[in-house]
Amino acid sequence: MLTGAEAVARLLRKAGVRRAYGVPGQRVLPLFAALAEENVPVVVTRHEQGASFMADVYARLGGMGCIVTTSGPGGINALAGVASAFMDSVPLIVLTAQAEVAEFGRYGIQEGSGLGRTPDVRQIFAATTKASFQPRTVDKLVDAVAEALALAVRGRPGPVHIDVPSDLLTDKVAAGLVEELAAGAPAPAAVPEPAAELIREVAGRIRSAKSPLLLIGNGVVRGGAVTAAQQVARHGSMWIAHSFLAKGAFDETNAAVLGPVGVFGTEAANRALHDEADLVVAVGVAFSYLTTSGWPARLGGGRLIRCDLDQRELGTNYTDGVNIHADARVFLESLATELATSDEGNAPLGPDLKARYPDLRAPEESAALHPIRVCDVVGEWIAENTTVVADVGQNAYWVERHLKTRGGGRFIINGGLGAMGHGVAGCLGAWHAGQDAGRPGPVLCTTGDGGFMMGALEVSTAVSEGADVTWIIFNNGTLGTQKEWYVRQGASGSEMDLPDTDYVALASAMGARAFRATTEEELREALGSAGAHSGPTVIDVVIDPVPAPTVFGS
C-alpha cells in the first residue's frame, strides 16, 4: 500500500516530471516529503507566484512544469503563472492542498472549498486551466493525477489543476493501482492532418507568388515544427517573420528572417506582412491586437492562408482567407515535401527588406545610456547556449526589436497574459530546465525597474539554488509604458515615477553579486564579471528615460 502522497509523487516521476516549485504549508507537507523520496526536488520559492512563473518557463523549454502549494492563499497566489501558461499553451500540473473533506463548510484552516464564505479554489482555477479536479477519495486522486498528466499535453497543451483534500495525502491506496495507471499511458490524441489536395493547392500558391511570407507563431514552437518551417521557407523561397512568442526560434541575423511582427516588431517584418507580401502563410499564429498592430482590414482576404491546431483560433479574427485545421508539424512537413518535389533551383528570394526598411539605431549623442545600445551590448555578450527570458514591460519592447537572437528556441516571453515580474522569477525555471535536460548554460533576464520590484524576492531563491542567472534592469526610474501613455494624453505622468532605489544594495543583501552601469563600458565590465563567475548577478543599468519604443504605423 502507498499513501496518497506517495502515489501522486510516483505517478509524477514516472510521467517524466523532474522538478516541482512551491512553498510548503502544513497541509501539503506529506507531498513534499514523498516527492523527495521519488527524487523529484521541490524548489522552495519565496512566494507562490514566483513558483508558478518558474514552472511555466521550465515547461516552455521542454519539460512538464509542476507547481505544489498549500491550501487557500497558497494556491491562489500561484494563479498568475497558471493563467500565463494557459494563454500561451504551456503544459503544467498544478497541485493545491485543501482542507480535509470532513472540514468542508466548517471554516477549517485556510479552507478553500467554496462553502460558506470560503473561496472556491477549484472554480478559481477552472477558468484558467484545461480542467480542474477536486477528488474526494484517494482512489479518485490517483485517477485525477493520471488524467491530468495526459490532458496537459493532449491537443493544445495547457495547465491542469488538482485541488487535493489533505486527508487524501495520508490515506492508503493499492500500489498496484498506481503501477497500472503509470503503465497505461493513454494513446495520444488524433492529430488533424490536412488533405493532400489542400497541401498541393498551398504549394502551388507559394510557387506562383512573387513575394510569399511564412509567418510563424507560438504553435510552431510548441509543436516542435521549427525545422519543418525552415524547410518550407527554403524550398518556397519565402521570407520568415514571427510573432513575439516565437522569437528565438530562428536566427535573426539571417537575411530571410525579418524578425517579429506587431506593434513593436521590426519595420521589415511588419512591411512584409502589411504591404510587401502577396501571400502570407500563417502557422500557429494568434492574430492578436499586438501581433497585427490593431487588426487592420488589409491583413485579411485572399492573400492569407492560416493553419492552426485549434479550430477556435481559425474562427477568431481574419476568417475570410483559407483556413486549415491541422497540426503545425504535420502541415509544415507535408508542405516542405511537396515544395521539394518540384523545387526548380529555388526562385530568388524577394527584395532585401532589411536593407529597405532598416532598424532604428541609437543616436550618436545621448544624455544617458540609450536602451538600443543596451540591447547591442547585451547581444554581443550572449553566447549560443545563453537563454534569454524577457520580462513584460517597456524593456521587452526594446528587446523584441533590437536584441537579435540566433535560434535554438532560447528566448522566452510571457506574451499572452503579459504579467510583469514573470521573467524576473521565471528565469530560474529556465536555468533548471537546462540543467535537467543536460544542456546547461547561462540565463539572462531583461527587466525594467518596475518589473524587477514585482519579483525581486526570487533573487534570494536563485542564491539558494546557486543559479547562473543574470538580471539586466533597464532602469528609467518610472513605469515607462504607462508614463508614455499619460504623456501622450497631455498629462505629466509623474504618478508613474518610482522612488530612487539602490538595486545593488538590495541584491547584495540577498547574497547576489550586483553592479551599477551608467555607460557602455561599465555594462561590458559587469557582464564580463557575470560571465566569469557562476551564481546570480544583478546589473542595474541606468538608461535614458526619454526614448520610448516606436510603434509600427505611428
Side-chain angles (χ1 to χ4, degrees):
M1 300 292 284
L2 298 173
T3 66
E6 292 168 339
V8 170
R10 186 163 301 177
L11 283 171
L12 292 174
R13 195 255 305 163
K14 284 182 174 289
V17 173
R18 295 181 174 182
R19 187 178 299 270
Y21 297 87
V23 178
Q26 182 176 346
R27 293 196 184 276
V28 79
L29 289 180
L31 184 52
F32 270 63
L35 286 165
E37 286 296 317
E38 290 289 339
N39 294 315
V40 178
V42 182
V43 178
V44 177
T45 63
R46 303 301 175 259
H47 192 277
E48 290 89 355
Q49 184 180 85
S52 69
F53 290 160
M54 292 177 202
D56 176 20
V57 173
Y58 183 96
R60 289 172 192 251
L61 290 167
M64 170 71 81
C66 184
I67 305 167
V68 182
T69 79
T70 193
S71 55
I76 294 170
N77 282 344
L79 190 64
V82 177
S84 298
F86 185 58
M87 287 199 70
D88 290 350
S89 305
V90 179
L92 295 181
I93 300 299
V94 185
L95 296 158
T96 60
Q98 179 57 272
E100 295 183 7
V101 173
E103 295 177 319
F104 281 16
R106 300 174 63 192
Y107 301 110
I109 295 173
Q110 295 183 327
E111 179 185 343
S113 67
L115 298 176
R117 298 189 311 279
T118 67
D120 192 331
V121 171
R122 191 189 70 79
Q123 283 295 333
I124 288 171
F125 278 95
T128 57
T129 57
K130 295 181 73 174
S132 181
F133 303 101
Q134 190 187 76
R136 301 297 179 92
T137 67
V138 68
D139 286 3
K140 294 295 185 183
L141 169 61
V142 295
D143 285 342
V145 173
E147 184 174 351
L149 287 163
L151 183 58
V153 295
R154 184 186 303 142
R156 177 183 285 277
V160 182
H161 169 245
I162 307 171
D163 193 43
V164 186
S166 54
D167 51 319
L168 305 191
L169 293 175
T170 53
D171 286 351
K172 298 288 187 174
V173 64
L177 174 60
V178 177
E179 296 302 324
E180 179 183 341
L181 288 170
V191 174
E193 298 186 14
E197 58 270 21
L198 191 54
I199 291 293
R200 288 193 291 270
E201 177 188 339
V202 174
R205 291 190 61 182
I206 292 173
R207 293 189 199 103
S208 61
K210 294 180 179 179
S211 303
L213 172 69
L214 182 60
L215 180 59
I216 297 303
N218 188 42
V220 171
V221 178
R222 304 293 328 151
V226 171
T227 298
Q230 292 170 330
Q231 292 170 346
V232 167
R234 183 173 67 253
H235 291 305
S237 298
M238 307 176 77
W239 294 312
I240 296 177
H242 52 78
S243 68
F244 196 6
L245 275 173
K247 185 179 176 73
F250 303 95
D251 182 357
E252 292 182 83
T253 64
N254 186 309
V257 179
L258 305 179
V261 299
V263 172
F264 298 104
T266 66
E267 190 75 10
N270 278 316
R271 290 297 180 186
L273 175 62
H274 291 265
D275 305 312
E276 298 281 354
D278 57 351
L279 177 69
V280 178
V281 179
V283 186
V285 178
F287 279 73
S288 67
Y289 180 95
L290 288 176
T291 296
T292 62
S293 300
W295 301 302
R298 66 180 181 275
L299 286 189
R303 73 184 184 111
L304 181 61
I305 297 173
R306 293 182 65 183
C307 173
D308 205 286
L309 176 66
D310 191 339
Q311 184 74 55
R312 294 169 299 181
E313 289 293 336
L314 297 174
T316 305
N317 302 325
Y318 303 112
T319 60
D320 53 348
V322 176
N323 293 319
I324 301 170
H325 180 217
D327 175 81
R329 185 169 181 173
V330 173
F331 171 74
L332 288 167
E333 287 179 347
S334 300
L335 185 56
T337 299
E338 178 64 28
L339 288 168
T341 59
S342 59
D343 188 347
E344 300 175 356
N346 286 350
L349 195 67
D352 185 349
L353 295 188
K354 285 186 173 180
R356 182 181 293 179
Y357 304 110
D359 281 342
L360 293 176
R361 304 309 306 154
E364 293 295 329
E365 299 294 332
S366 180
L369 191 53
H370 196 284
I372 294 178
R373 289 302 300 145
V374 176
C375 292
D376 291 341
V377 173
V378 170
E380 296 167 4
W381 178 79
I382 58 176
E384 287 188 1
N385 67 337
T386 302
T387 300
V388 178
V389 182
D391 193 31
V392 170
Q394 194 177 75
N395 80 94
Y397 303 142
W398 291 116
V399 167
E400 177 180 6
R401 184 166 187 171
H402 298 287
L403 183 64
K404 304 305 178 187
T405 58
R406 298 175 179 86
R410 290 180 176 269
F411 183 91
I412 301 295
I413 179 72
N414 150 43
L417 184 67
M420 287 177 66
H422 181 277
V424 180
C427 59
L428 187 52
W431 185 77
H432 283 135
Q435 299 292 311
D436 291 350
R439 46 181 178 81
V443 175
L444 177 83
C445 171
T446 64
T447 183
D449 41 344
F452 184 73
M453 289 300 281
M454 293 186 183
L457 68 170
E458 300 303 348
V459 172
S460 171
T461 308
V463 170
S464 297
E465 294 291 308
D468 191 6
V469 174
T470 299
W471 289 267
I472 301 289
I473 304 174
F474 284 62
N475 182 357
N476 60 1
T478 190
L479 299 174
T481 303
Q482 314 315 319
K483 184 168 185 175
E484 183 191 359
W485 184 89
Y486 268 85
V487 171
R488 286 202 307 266
Q489 309 307 311
S492 71
S494 59
E495 304 93 332
M496 301 298 106
D497 291 343
L498 299 171
D500 188 21
T501 302
D502 190 339
Y503 296 107
V504 172
L506 177 62
S508 298
M510 290 185 280
R513 285 189 315 280
F515 304 90
R516 190 170 192 260
T518 60
T519 66
E520 290 182 37
E521 291 72 22
E522 290 175 348
L523 176 55
R524 285 192 174 92
E525 289 176 6
L527 286 168
S529 179
H533 300 85
S534 60
T537 302
V538 174
I539 305 176
D540 176 19
V541 185
V542 181
I543 62 171
D544 188 341
V546 175
T550 57
V551 174
F552 175 69
S554 63

